[in-house]
Amino acid sequence: ALLALLLPPAAVREPGRALLRVLAVLRGKAAGGSSAIATYAAPATGLSVASSGLELLVLKGKASPEVKSEAKAALNQALEMKRQGKREKAHKLFVYALKIDPDYVDALNEFGIFSEEEKDILQADYLYSKALTISPCNEKALINRDRTLPLVEEIDQRYFSIIDSKVKKVMAIPKGNSALRRVMEESYYHHIYHTVAIEGNTLTLSEIRHILETRYAVPGKSLVEQNEVIGMHAALKYMNTTLVSRIGSVTIGDILEIHRRVLGYADPVEAGRFRTTQVFVGHHIPPHPQDVEKQMQEFVQWLNSEDAMSLHPVEFAALTHYKLVYIHPFVDGNGRTSRLLMNLILMQAGYPPITIRKEQRAEYYHVLEVANEGDVRPFIRFIAQCTETTLDMLLIATTEYSVGLPEAGSPTARGPTIPVTT
């Protein structure tokens, strides 16, 4: 049932063979003891719940002496407010000091201690990690990080266990559940809508449905945008029919084939081939084009390694996405291809494919930028939250009082998740 979320609409509607085949594969994995939803001995990457301190990790330009002096004064004021018990003012001053001088190690350490006192262990660990990124031998940050890291790792494993419990609940849904079939079909259209909308595509969900169901163009709409939708549909079909069952054997050719379909209808010249020019992505400068093929070979070697496949599936999928988009091997279509490869990893492990909604675009790009600056954990947290949201959606949609998928464009503030007993 999980894999069928990304099957083409025709396969989803087929009442028997496609759905039963997918269910048999997944349930066989679960029964065989080799499924990825067992316990994982691999060390955690630091995944945990969201923190309000994410914005602190994005590096700005080097602070001038005047700015450094102002940041020092703000830190001293923060410490004085803390001593006086005026913690709200102290918090604002800590944030201000780091806003104007993000590389201020003393402020990172002191704000970390303040955060620990506020019982925000994740943010404290986050701040100490940032301090060590800037000053790897900073004694105070090393001592502080040694104190928080075990606590964060415990949170990580607890959260992974919650996600795994929900995966098992979803897999236990009867294969003939009509609500599950409906939500699978809806998820397919929603997935394409959001993954192209993140990149700026303006087609609506209903227009995308029209294109895929009728194969007719939408009058008055960009043909390039419509071809992007057709490309995603072709890539999903290829991935589901060819790659999902091939665990541990993804090749560079497979990735090129995914990209050839993603971009082939909109830009057939660049589709399915590595870039030959230098590109710039925000503050990130991807590898020189002459180094792309070598880095892709190393990436695929990691992708098929025992070390990678021993990671928790969510962590493995998130790192796969990040590593590919970091290399940025193509002129265009890197994000769409990376999200497809991420979902391939999840589906191979028996997890549902996830959708990053267009309303999450700012947060999504932000955690990618933070990862580029040295800490990939916020990105893994983000993907984990998307995974849990997808699982909750499936569980809610198959209850007696189903509310269906959220409308495209609706707010996505995370409400309470479905509790599980672990």
Side-chain angles (χ1 to χ4, degrees):
L2 304 181
L3 298 187
L5 277 166
L6 286 187
L7 284 173
V12 174
R13 290 199 193 94
E14 185 179 359
R17 293 192 297 273
L19 181 59
L20 293 175
R21 193 162 54 243
V22 169
L23 282 165
V25 170
L26 288 180
R27 295 178 194 281
K29 285 183 183 178
S34 61
S35 170
I37 55 173
T39 56
Y40 300 90
T45 305
L47 176 147
S48 186
V49 294
S51 169
S52 59
L54 287 176
E55 69 276 5
L56 298 175
L57 268 183
V58 179
L59 293 177
K60 308 294 190 298
K62 291 294 181 181
S64 67
E66 294 79 9
V67 169
K68 287 181 179 290
S69 178
E70 185 178 353
K72 184 176 181 179
L75 174 59
N76 289 334
Q77 286 181 310
L79 294 173
E80 178 59 24
M81 291 298 102
K82 174 183 167 182
R83 188 186 68 79
Q84 295 180 20
K86 300 177 180 178
R87 300 189 69 83
E88 186 176 347
K89 289 185 177 180
H91 183 277
K92 291 179 179 178
L93 286 163
F94 281 126
V95 171
Y96 177 70
L98 287 167
K99 183 178 181 180
I100 60 176
D101 187 2
D103 292 352
Y104 192 4
V105 172
D106 288 345
L108 289 164
N109 271 316
E110 294 295 343
F111 193 19
I113 293 169
F114 181 89
S115 298
E116 278 192 80
E117 294 168 352
E118 295 289 309
K119 310 301 183 186
D120 191 346
I121 302 301
L122 175 61
Q123 177 160 287
D125 184 76
Y126 190 84
L127 292 162
Y128 301 146
S129 298
K130 171 63 175 174
L132 290 170
T133 299
I134 298 163
S135 180
C137 297
N138 186 277
E139 185 176 355
K140 191 171 186 178
L142 286 168
I143 293 171
N144 290 335
R145 183 83 198 289
D146 284 344
R147 185 173 60 251
T148 57
L149 183 59
L151 301 175
V152 171
E153 288 182 343
E154 183 181 345
I155 295 171
D156 298 346
Q157 293 307 310
R158 195 158 58 237
Y159 192 41
F160 279 141
S161 295
I162 290 171
I163 290 174
D164 290 342
S165 296
K166 292 184 178 183
V167 169
K168 292 176 182 177
K169 286 179 179 291
V170 170
M171 291 179 65
I173 298 170
K175 60 185 179 181
N177 187 292
S178 60
L180 182 60
R181 287 200 297 269
R182 287 195 302 271
V183 78
M184 286 191 297
E185 182 175 341
E186 285 301 309
S187 294
Y188 186 83
Y189 296 115
H190 276 253
H191 181 83
I192 293 179
Y193 165 74
H194 286 289
T195 200
V196 298
I198 283 175
E199 309 296 338
N201 192 297
T202 63
L203 290 169
T204 67
L205 181 60
S206 61
E207 288 169 339
I208 286 173
R209 183 188 290 271
H210 168 84
I211 293 166
L212 296 181
E213 288 183 344
T214 69
R215 294 297 191 268
Y216 285 104
V218 177
K221 285 287 188 166
S222 163
L223 288 178
V224 171
E225 290 189 342
Q226 297 188 60
N227 282 329
E228 288 175 351
V229 169
I230 296 170
M232 278 300 302
H233 175 64
L236 288 167
K237 183 177 179 180
Y238 169 75
M239 195 171 76
N240 278 284
T241 57
T242 307
L243 302 181
V244 166
S245 60
R246 282 174 40 201
I247 300 173
S249 61
V250 177
T251 67
I252 287 180
D254 295 330
I255 298 172
L256 290 172
E257 284 299 311
I258 292 173
H259 183 261
R260 186 171 70 83
R261 288 162 174 80
V262 166
L263 204 64
Y265 295 87
D267 187 355
V269 174
E270 294 294 342
R273 72 185 188 108
F274 295 140
R275 58 181 167 85
T276 57
T277 57
Q278 183 63 54
V279 294
F280 301 90
V281 186
H283 299 295
H284 172 53
I285 304 176
H288 190 277
Q290 292 180 352
D291 299 326
V292 166
E293 186 164 358
K294 178 177 181 294
Q295 293 213 14
M296 285 298 294
Q297 289 172 350
E298 293 172 353
F299 167 66
V300 167
Q301 184 177 4
W302 171 83
L303 193 64
N304 297 311
S305 69
E306 289 187 11
D307 286 345
M309 289 187 287
S310 68
L311 296 170
H312 187 280
V314 173
E315 185 177 5
F316 182 20
L319 290 174
T320 296
H321 178 310
Y322 174 66
K323 286 174 179 286
L324 183 59
V325 85
Y326 181 89
I327 298 170
H328 222 77
F330 309 112
V331 169
D332 192 16
N334 293 279
R336 282 164 283 170
T337 304
S338 297
R339 290 189 289 276
L340 284 168
L341 199 58
M342 171 185 70
N343 274 324
L344 174 63
I345 298 301
L346 287 172
M347 290 189 291
Q348 287 179 335
Y351 279 60
I354 66 171
T355 296
I356 301 172
R357 295 172 63 86
K358 73 168 187 175
E359 296 84 9
Q360 297 173 292
R361 183 177 187 269
E363 182 183 3
Y364 171 52
Y365 284 172
H366 176 76
V367 290
L368 280 172
E369 184 176 2
V370 169
N372 288 339
E373 299 296 348
D375 192 348
V376 75
R377 296 175 307 159
F379 182 68
I380 297 174
R381 295 179 197 125
F382 175 77
I383 297 304
Q385 289 166 0
C386 290
T387 303
E388 187 181 20
T389 298
T390 297
L391 292 167
D392 286 344
M393 177 269 294
L394 290 171
L395 292 171
I396 291 170
T398 52
T399 59
E400 183 178 356
Y401 304 105
S402 172
V403 294
L405 292 176
E407 290 297 323
S410 64
T412 56
R414 284 176 56 84
T417 59
I418 296 176
V420 296
T421 303
T422 59

